[in-house]
Every structure is written in structure tokens, then in C-alpha cells.
Amino acid sequence: MTVAPFGSWASPISPEALTEGTLRVSDLSVAANRVWWVERRPNDGGRQVVVCADDDGVIRDHVPEGFSTRTTVHEYGGATFTVVGTDTVVFSELADQRLWAVAPGQDPRPLTPVPPEPSAWRYADTRLLPGREWLVCVRERHHGVAAKDVESDLVSVALSGETEPVALVGGHDFFSAPRPSPDGTRLAWLTWDHPNMPWDGTELWVADLVGDRGGGPPRISAARRLAGGPDESISQPRWQSVRSGTEPGRRLHWMSDRSGWWNLYVDDGATGQPMAPRPAEFSGPDWVFGQSTYDFLADGRVALSWSDAGIDHLGVLDPNTGDLTEVSTPYTQFDTVVAHGQEVVALVASATEAASVVTLNPDEPADIRVLRRSRATATQTEQARVSVAEAITFPTTGGRSAHAYWYPPTSSDHEGPAGTLPPLVVMSHGGPTSSASPALSVAIQFWTSRGLGVVDVDYGGSSGYGRAYRRSLDGAWGIVDVDDCVAAATYLADQGRVDRNRMVIRGTSAGGFTTLCALTFRDVFAAGASLYGIADLATLATDTHKFEARYLDRLVGTWPDAADVYHQRSPVHHVAELSCPVILLQGLDDKVVPPAQAEMMVAALRAKGLAVEYVTFAGEQHGFRKAETIRRAAEAELSFYGRVLGFTPALRSGTEPALRSGTEPDVIPTG
């Protein structure tokens, strides 16, 4: 065992290892009796490709070179493709945001017209209308650069590509989840309006689908609101095929948080009846289209996942008895759950295994088949090098409790000098209506394998702990989240786990705002890193995309009525109170948090003469996708911490990999 200062340990996880053989998986689905998903490939410039696991176990691309499958509806996208027939893929193309269709051996053909301006008309969440040669999807049209110039609706698109999209439903600020019934006679969808976000209040609508099935465009009739409102968040409407006597039928299900927790409901002819209600989260915030935490097995039972105290579970619900039976698996995270006959296909992970796409039989849970493993199975020696998340709950301001995951520095080759404690990296997640995860993250192991402790904080406002906890950030963004990050750090220092004089804080997007606030308005951290973070709330309120244009109404106050609060909470206006080094990393094509946010903060810090580093990345949007960007950002941040905290980092990898790359690529769930 080598004794070396914390932070300077030779790590098997180099900056290059963060992306070597790695992928991000999204849009997991089952169609044409096969499993499909989208892979984002950092080493291919962040290109995204639709793939399919064939019966022979071979994973094949279904989008040719030169195309990247990604929609930027709501900027965050999601649900970017659907399968028609046995192997025709309809997808959104990143370059022009049009819908395209491609079949094996054929060139892709466009289904939607060329927009008046590049990428001005965008499409997402596409579904085939049963019995018709038409699709239904969300359309977003940009008539200018401001949020007020963006119009959203539901449209039908002809599979022939020879007809202009036909509007079905409009009149609201946002639409999502258009879901036709299995018999093609009805359509369900979600809608909401500013200032709500989809986790604040949404409405579930249903209507009849009418019109000539011989080829003409469909229409809707007798539309009515089934459930939801400004203070009830509904997610994931989904139809189940049922049989009544000799006639087939359909039954609509959805998730609602009307009880304070996202639980499963079924249409009872009124506003919905809960199924197996309990104080746990069976859904999450709809940041992207296409969330799936439940689906219907072939025998009519419901396979579903839920989060309880930050840990995910998988179970099967018998709709006849209401019994919910948990399925024992080695996984603690289920990002997606879809049915494949009597099996479940899921995107899973655990504290010691990075995410994988698997199929399992809920009646024989040991029968697990891995379709795409993140890395080769680790040996016992390799697993000993993994820092395993410990869920902690700690006291914070106002008599509240907050939650986090603690990762101690871990190495089988190194230990710190006697009588010393490790530095601490406090992570503040983005959103802020999002959450941390205890699943194995190579990005976190990058720090812990070098001798730094990490605490990933689920501050007040995070999802996964019920509506009340999520709402605890209302009117208090920049206060409650900061208090909880500070409380997590001091809690660990008081327990003697970390060196209270060498604590840093980092965050992405909204977490970058929390980071900058903590550095400005508190005197706890030695330094911090803001990755595409927010420095000026007023600028964000007036210069961001439509989806989040009114997000701050609830978190801060209505703009411009609360202009004084926006000024008080914005770090850029209070740099006189900041006295520690800061590094900012920013994508230059970011539309969610434009580069002007970072540039204002950098200018203010430089004017004060503080140590500040500003690293920019051309071609990157909100979140880093390219391998070279991820590598360069990690190198810059680690070197920065070394200079501030007084250790010399070992940037090159050690002699053995702690997490072997193996022959299969890494699968990292989106969040």
C-alpha cells in the first residue's frame, strides 16, 4: 500500500477513460418484437444512433452514417424515434429537426417539409396511429428567437411524406405524450401552460379519433379533460388492451401526484382510481419526452418501478387484487421499464455496476439477460476499488432534513498519510427539479479513486422524496439548495470524514447556480466549479428557451415584479462577497444557459482580481457530449483543484483499470 497525499493518488481512471468505449442510452423501447434504443457516442462527435438488438443477439445500427437521431423540442428532447411495421424507423434528425423515415437497405427520406428557417420546425414523441398511414407527434415551431415566438401543438404526419403535417390540437403552451389507443379510436395527451412546469401541474385530455381511415388525415372529436390541473402533475398516460366478453377494448392509466406522491391511476369513468397507493415515487419529473416507469405484461399484470428513500425497486402489480409484489434483483436503479411479452426490458444499474440494458423474467428474477453491458464484469479486486454510495440523511436549516450520497475515497493501492483527512467535492445536481443517483458513476469514481471524498446532494427541491420535498424550493432557490449543500459538507466534516478546510463545490446548469451562490453567499468552500451554470437570474428569466421561460416564477418570483429578489439571489451582482478561486466551463452553443451567463461572471471576477479560469467548448450545447470536451473538462477541473487544495494530481491512468472496458461499450443513463 502506497502512502500518498489525498488527491494525488495514481488513478486507474484517466480523463480518457471517461469516454473510451462509452455510450449513453436513451429511448429504450420494444417494437416489432425486438428491443430498440438510441446510443449517443462521444467518440463519434456525440452522434446519436437508433440501434436494435436482433434475435441473434447482434446489435445493429438503423440510422446510416451522416445522420444523428436527436430532437431539440423543449431543447432537452427525448422520444426521438418510433418503429413502423417490422423495421422502418421514423426519427428526428439533429441537423434539420425534420422527421425522416428509413428502412434497411434504403436511403432515409423526409416526412416533414423544409422549415422556413433552419431547425425552426421540430418534432418529438412520435407514435403511429393504428389502422392509418399517419403518425401523431408533438410539433414545436419557432417564429423568432424569443420564447414568446415558439408555438407548440399536436400534429398528424403522413407516412408517405407527401402531405403537410395536419394540426390536431393547439391552444396551450406545451403538449406531450400523444398516445393513441390500441384500436386507434381514441387519443390521450398531456398539456400544461406557463408558469407551470410539467412536474407542477398538467392536464390529461382524451378525444375520439375520427376521419376517413382510407388514407385521409385523422381528426379529433369530443375532446375532454379527464384529470389534472394547475396543482396536480400527471405523467405517462398509457393504454392497456383489455377484453370485455368477446369484444376487445382499452383502458387508460397514468401517473399522478395528487396524493403527494406520483402513484399509478386507472380510468374509472371519473378522475381516476389509484392502484396500490403508497408514499413512494412511481414516476419522475418529465424533463424529456418518453419517460417509462411502468408497462403491461402479456398476462395483464403491470410491471413498474418506484423510488423509496432514493433507492429504486422493481415490482409486479396484479390489477385484480391490488397486490404489489417486489421483484428481487441486484439493481438499485431502474431508469426505464418496458414490457416484452411476459418479460421486462429495463435500463438498470447498481452501486457497483454501471448501467446496462437487460431483460428479465419477473417470475424468475435470477433469469437476467444482458443486451448491452456497460463494462465487462468486474473481478473482486476491481470491485474493491469502487467507492460505494452510502445514503445519508442530515439536519439542515429550518428544522428540516436533507438527503445525499456519500462516497469515501477508495483505492486498493493507496492510502492517505496518518493524521490527515481527504478533501471533499460537493456535487449539486442540475434541474434543480432533478435528483442524484447512487448508481455506479465513472465520473464520480474519477474523483474518489484519486483520494477525494464526494457527496452528491439531493437538496430540498429534488425529486424522489414526494411533492412536499420537491416544493420546498419554491420561492427559495439559491437559499434552501445552498443551505443543504453547506449542511452536507459540514455534517461530514463534523463526523471527521473530510478536511473542513479543503472542501470544494461543483455543479452543472442549475447546480452551477447553487455552486456560485454557495461560493458567494457562504464562507465554507475553498473553491468551486460551475459547468454551464447560471450567474444572473434576471438574464435567465429574459433570455432562455420557452420550456423554462417561466420556471423561475415558482422558484424565485414573478418577473419583473420580483426584480429585487432576482438581483439579491444572483451571484454576479455580489462578487464583492466572493473571495475564493472559481473555474467555469461552458459550451458556446448553449441555448438553455447561454455563454453570456458565464462571461458576465468571469468579467466580474476578473474586475475584482480574483483567480478565475474560463474554459469554453465550441460546438457544445447544454451538457457536454463530445469525447474531447469531456476529457478536457475533467483535466481542467482536476488541475484546478490540485492548485487550490495543494496536491499534485496524477492525470495519467495507473497500471491496471479499476473498471475494465471489456469488449462492450459503457452505457450511461441520461438524466
Side-chain angles (χ1 to χ4, degrees):
M1 186 71 71
T2 301
V3 176
F6 290 108
S8 67
W9 299 353
S11 169
I13 304 175
S14 68
E16 291 81 5
L18 294 174
T19 58
E20 287 174 350
T22 66
L23 300 172
R24 285 183 179 268
V25 165
S26 62
D27 298 357
L28 179 65
S29 64
V30 172
N33 204 34
R34 290 178 289 173
V35 182
W36 304 71
W37 63 84
V38 171
E39 294 183 352
R40 183 200 301 170
R41 300 169 177 172
N43 288 294
D44 192 10
R47 178 171 170 257
Q48 298 190 170
V49 181
V50 178
V51 303
C52 175
D54 289 341
D55 293 337
D56 56 8
V58 176
I59 296 173
R60 294 182 171 87
D61 289 1
H62 280 258
V63 173
E65 291 287 340
F67 287 82
S68 183
T69 309
R70 184 179 167 217
T71 176
T72 55
V73 176
H74 296 176
E75 297 301 329
Y76 297 111
T80 193
F81 80 96
T82 194
V83 179
V84 177
T86 60
D87 51 17
T88 295
V89 175
V90 175
F91 66 96
S92 292
E93 159 58 25
L94 175 61
D96 60 13
Q97 289 299 293
R98 300 165 72 189
L99 285 180
W100 292 71
V102 61
Q106 299 180 13
D107 292 333
R109 57 184 179 86
L111 300 184
T112 55
V114 177
E117 297 292 335
S119 301
W121 294 356
R122 310 172 184 182
Y123 306 87
D125 216 354
T126 304
R127 293 292 188 276
L128 178 69
L129 293 174
R132 301 175 186 268
E133 293 295 303
W134 289 80
L135 305 156
V136 61
C137 64
V138 177
R139 178 177 64 176
E140 186 179 83
R141 288 180 290 177
H142 293 242
H143 305 292
V145 297
K148 64 179 179 60
D149 299 323
V150 179
E151 179 183 4
S152 300
D153 58 6
L154 296 182
V155 298
S156 55
V157 175
L159 275 172
S160 66
E162 298 173 353
T163 305
E164 293 274 338
V166 178
L168 289 175
V169 185
H172 289 276
D173 289 328
F174 301 99
F175 292 87
S176 72
R179 298 293 182 264
S181 62
D183 58 7
T185 63
R186 305 193 76 193
L187 181 70
W189 68 89
L190 298 176
T191 186
W192 68 97
D193 294 298
H194 281 143
N196 271 349
M197 300 297 287
W199 45 84
D200 296 323
T202 53
E203 295 178 350
L204 172 62
W205 286 72
V206 293
D208 295 332
L209 278 170
V210 298
D212 178 19
R213 289 203 177 199
R219 305 189 313 276
I220 66 166
S221 174
R224 68 183 182 95
R225 182 172 63 86
L226 184 60
D231 293 306
E232 178 184 359
S233 173
I234 293 181
S235 178
Q236 303 185 62
R238 190 160 295 138
W239 298 90
Q240 181 184 26
S241 296
V242 296
R243 183 169 292 277
S244 178
T246 60
E247 297 297 323
R250 60 277 189 280
R251 182 181 295 126
L252 186 61
H253 296 68
W254 63 87
M255 294 288 181
S256 169
D257 73 345
R258 68 179 64 164
S259 69
W261 302 86
W262 272 307
N263 279 196
L264 181 64
Y265 285 72
V266 62
D267 186 7
D268 62 351
T271 59
Q273 176 182 346
M275 303 176 70
R278 61 181 57 194
E281 296 282 52
F282 286 77
S283 187
D286 283 326
W287 277 103
V288 298
F289 294 100
Q291 180 180 189
S292 180
T293 59
Y294 77 100
D295 205 356
F296 308 107
L297 300 174
D299 63 7
R301 293 179 299 165
V302 186
L304 70 175
S305 64
W306 67 93
S307 177
D308 187 1
I311 303 298
D312 288 355
H313 305 263
L314 179 70
V316 176
L317 171 66
D318 186 333
N320 298 315
T321 64
D323 292 337
L324 177 60
T325 304
E326 183 168 358
V327 178
S328 177
T329 76
Y331 307 114
T332 55
Q333 178 171 303
F334 292 86
D335 275 350
T336 305
V337 172
V338 292
H340 191 1
Q342 284 295 98
E343 292 190 319
V344 172
V345 182
L347 182 58
V348 300
S350 74
T352 57
E353 294 184 48
S356 300
V357 178
V358 305
T359 65
L360 60 88
N361 183 338
D363 297 315
E364 299 289 342
D367 181 14
I368 298 175
R369 183 165 64 99
V370 179
L371 301 182
R372 181 70 101 188
R373 189 183 298 278
S374 63
R375 299 183 186 272
T377 304
T379 65
Q380 291 184 349
T381 300
E382 291 167 342
Q383 288 188 357
R385 298 180 178 184
V386 173
S387 181
V388 175
E390 174 192 343
I392 61 173
T393 299
F394 51 91
T396 183
T397 57
R400 298 180 300 110
S401 294
H403 312 280
Y405 301 103
W406 156 244
Y407 297 84
T410 304
S411 173
S412 59
D413 304 315
H414 296 80
E415 62 181 3
T420 66
L421 293 171
L424 175 67
V425 178
V426 176
M427 291 188 167
S428 52
H429 63 70
T433 310
S434 186
S435 60
S437 168
L440 177 63
S441 165
V442 178
I444 289 178
Q445 303 300 315
F446 177 81
W447 304 109
T448 58
S449 62
R450 288 174 161 76
L452 290 86
V454 172
V455 63
D456 203 356
V457 185
D458 266 339
Y459 48 78
S462 301
S463 57
Y465 305 90
R467 187 180 181 94
Y469 193 78
R470 200 165 70 241
R471 282 288 183 89
S472 65
L473 202 60
D474 287 2
W477 192 28
I479 299 176
V480 164
D481 50 322
V482 174
D483 287 344
D484 292 355
C485 286
V486 169
T490 55
Y491 174 79
L492 293 169
D494 290 345
Q495 289 194 330
R497 300 197 196 188
V498 299
D499 185 344
R500 70 174 64 250
N501 295 314
R502 295 199 298 163
M503 302 191 299
V504 300
I505 184 170
R506 73 184 301 274
T508 60
S509 190
F513 170 72
T514 300
T515 291
L516 293 174
C517 285
L519 298 175
T520 302
F521 303 120
R522 306 289 193 275
D523 188 20
V524 174
F525 300 107
S530 171
L531 289 78
Y532 39 94
I534 299 154
D536 183 19
L537 292 175
T539 300
L540 183 68
T542 57
D543 184 26
T544 192
H545 59 129
K546 180 185 177 183
F547 182 63
E548 293 183 273
R550 300 287 300 278
Y551 193 10
L552 303 192
D553 282 27
R554 190 182 296 273
L555 296 176
V556 182
T558 304
W559 177 266
D561 297 340
D564 56 336
V565 179
Y566 280 69
H567 187 276
Q568 292 166 10
R569 303 267 183 89
S570 297
V572 72
H573 300 305
H574 303 278
V575 292
E577 301 176 41
L578 198 157
S579 58
C580 65
V582 184
I583 183 171
L584 299 97
L585 303 100
Q586 178 71 42
L588 295 180
D589 291 345
D590 195 338
K591 305 299 182 186
V592 178
V593 181
Q597 288 274 337
E599 291 162 2
M600 286 188 296
M601 194 70 189
V602 169
L605 291 168
R606 286 175 175 165
K608 190 185 177 185
L610 287 175
V612 58
E613 295 186 22
Y614 183 38
V615 185
T616 62
F617 303 98
E620 290 286 8
Q621 300 177 14
H622 196 64
F624 300 152
R625 291 173 170 81
K626 299 178 182 178
E628 59 269 25
T629 300
I630 296 169
R631 181 180 66 249
R632 174 71 183 102
E635 290 175 340
E637 192 176 349
L638 177 60
S639 297
F640 172 76
Y641 292 154
R643 289 191 294 274
V644 171
L645 301 179
F647 63 82
T648 302
L651 283 170
R652 301 302 97 189
S653 64
T655 57
E656 294 182 61
L659 301 170
R660 294 180 295 163
S661 294
T663 59
E664 298 185 64
D666 187 23
V667 182
I668 303 174
T670 57

